[in-house]
Amino acid sequence: MTDRNLSRTGESRSNRQMGEAPAIGKVSRSPESALGADQHSRSRSRSRKARAQNAHRTLIAWTCFFSVLAFCIIAAVIYSFYKKDRASDSGDGSANVADMSSSFPENKSGSLPTLDQESTKSLVRESLNITDKSQVKDRFIVHSSEAAVISDLAELKETEGDISRIDWLGQIFANGNVHDEVIVFRENKNTESNRVAQLFKGDDGKWRIDYDAYMRTATPSWGKILSRSVDDSVVRVFINAYSYYNGIYSDDRIWQAYSIASPDVDNVIYGYAKRGSRQEKALTRMLGAGGSIPRATIGLHSADGAGERQFEISRVYAEDWSIGAQAYDESF
């Protein structure tokens, strides 16, 4: 007997008046009553079964609906990429790779005349294979000596191998300039590497490769930078916002942290820009464009007391690896 039955029984005893029959508690049902209860139970069981079947059918219907909807969305996305790829393969030289252009704040392609894809690839291949220093000025935008360029190209071929293929990336707008861009793949002993070649049209009508951008030039060398034997440097890197605060850069109210990577450095290094500075504003705009992690040319300063891989970001020279006439952070 449950507490509930006890409660009712006690209440019945305390409220019974003279002449009323005493409460005798729970009385067993007659067989007829039990039969009726059994029929009622079977009716309720059938009702529950019907509801369960209806719920199952409804679940199947919704599942089919969402499956069809998902298929349609995926098909639409695939079709949009297919159209974009067909447009980029048309060979008219006006295609722009969306995920590349979205790395830049302006997020737009150029509208200036450009080489067609095959001419661009042919020009890049020929330029990277020259051995005559008299051809350097006609092939590259360069600040090094012609002899140094020929030496570097020969070393690159020896270490990274021959060119295996060149892929067209499109026409890109960055630093107030429009340039054509391809990615050059090399293979050496089953090891593949790649570099980005950026081509600019000069006043004389000739297209040239930005040599420092292609070589990812660091000044001075990364070895000297990482050994902290120099105070200031200029590097071409990939950069993204980060949350590593430590040592003299512990206060995130003063500093904004960044992760910095280069194909020429084994480990990620950490950069810090003062909050509110031109450098932080420039990088915020650059990173706010979305898309892939941006390429940038920045200045690093090795501060006293900093960790082995911690550097202050002293300048933002370009939103890419090709430096324009004006440093990028001067616009902020």
Side-chain angles (χ1 to χ4, degrees):
M1 184 178 297
T2 65
D3 291 342
R4 184 179 177 186
N5 290 333
L6 285 171
S7 176
R8 283 205 300 265
T9 303
E11 181 181 355
S12 175
R13 182 163 50 246
S14 61
N15 294 334
R16 183 163 60 89
Q17 303 296 323
M18 183 177 295
E20 291 182 355
I24 59 176
K26 184 176 180 180
V27 180
S28 299
R29 293 182 178 180
S30 65
E32 292 81 359
S33 176
L35 178 62
D38 184 56
Q39 291 174 344
H40 181 64
S41 175
R42 286 198 298 271
S43 175
R44 286 189 298 177
S45 176
R46 287 194 297 270
S47 177
R48 284 196 298 268
K49 184 176 181 180
R51 286 198 299 270
Q53 290 174 342
N54 289 336
H56 183 65
R57 284 194 293 268
T58 301
L59 178 61
I60 292 175
W62 279 108
T63 301
C64 292
F65 172 75
F66 283 115
S67 298
V68 172
L69 180 62
F71 175 80
C72 292
I73 293 173
I74 293 171
V77 171
I78 293 174
Y79 179 68
S80 67
F81 276 107
Y82 171 76
K83 287 183 67 179
K84 186 181 297 182
D85 290 341
R86 288 294 298 272
S88 66
D89 290 338
S90 62
D92 61 0
S94 62
N96 182 61
V97 180
D99 62 345
M100 294 299 298
S101 63
S102 63
S103 298
F104 311 117
E106 290 80 0
N107 194 20
K108 59 186 179 184
S109 63
S111 58
L112 297 180
T114 182
L115 290 170
D116 63 82
Q117 294 186 35
E118 293 308 316
S119 295
T120 302
K121 293 178 183 179
S122 177
L123 176 60
V124 170
R125 187 181 294 272
E126 291 173 3
S127 299
L128 296 176
N129 284 318
I130 63 171
T131 57
D132 185 353
K133 65 180 182 181
S134 66
Q135 298 182 28
V136 170
K137 294 294 185 181
D138 285 335
R139 299 284 186 169
F140 297 96
I141 301 170
V142 63
H143 305 288
S144 305
S145 69
E146 291 89 339
V149 171
I150 296 299
S151 175
D152 290 344
L153 292 177
E155 182 179 354
L156 201 64
K157 184 175 181 179
E158 182 179 350
T159 57
E160 297 185 6
D162 293 322
I163 296 173
S164 56
R165 76 177 193 273
I166 299 176
D167 290 350
W168 167 263
L169 293 181
Q171 191 181 58
I172 308 297
F173 185 94
N175 302 304
N177 294 313
V178 176
H179 64 268
D180 284 6
E181 196 162 273
V182 298
I183 185 166
V184 181
F185 292 87
R186 293 176 180 267
E187 189 170 339
N188 186 16
K189 297 179 181 179
N190 297 322
T191 299
E192 189 177 66
S193 60
N194 65 75
R195 292 176 182 266
V196 174
Q198 300 171 339
L199 295 91
F200 294 82
K201 188 175 184 180
D203 295 336
D204 58 0
K206 293 182 178 180
W207 289 83
R208 294 175 174 87
I209 300 172
D210 187 315
Y211 180 75
D212 286 329
Y214 181 75
M215 296 299 292
R216 303 189 294 256
T217 301
T219 308
S221 66
W222 274 110
K224 292 182 178 180
I225 296 169
L226 297 176
S227 67
R228 311 190 81 86
S229 60
V230 294
D231 292 334
D232 296 285
S233 57
V234 178
V235 295
R236 289 167 170 82
V237 294
F238 294 97
I239 188 167
N240 203 1
Y242 201 58
S243 58
Y244 178 72
Y245 297 92
N246 196 11
I248 64 173
Y249 300 109
S250 294
D251 195 340
D252 62 1
R253 296 169 300 178
I254 299 175
W255 302 100
Q256 169 60 52
Y258 301 90
S259 59
I260 298 171
S262 168
D264 305 309
V265 176
D266 292 334
N267 298 313
V268 171
I269 64 175
Y270 306 105
Y272 300 87
K274 284 189 175 180
R275 292 198 182 273
S277 66
R278 287 183 173 184
Q279 291 70 46
E280 193 229 2
K281 292 176 182 178
L283 290 169
T284 297
R285 181 179 176 186
M286 193 185 302
L287 296 171
S292 58
I293 298 175
R295 299 189 299 252
T297 304
I298 60 176
L300 296 180
H301 175 70
S302 178
D304 293 337
E308 182 180 0
R309 288 186 286 150
Q310 290 181 313
F311 296 87
E312 181 179 344
I313 298 174
S314 56
R315 296 299 306 270
V316 179
Y317 290 106
E319 56 178 329
D320 205 316
W321 291 345
S322 179
I323 301 176
Q326 177 180 318
Y328 187 70
D329 59 12
E330 290 180 6
S331 299
F332 298 87

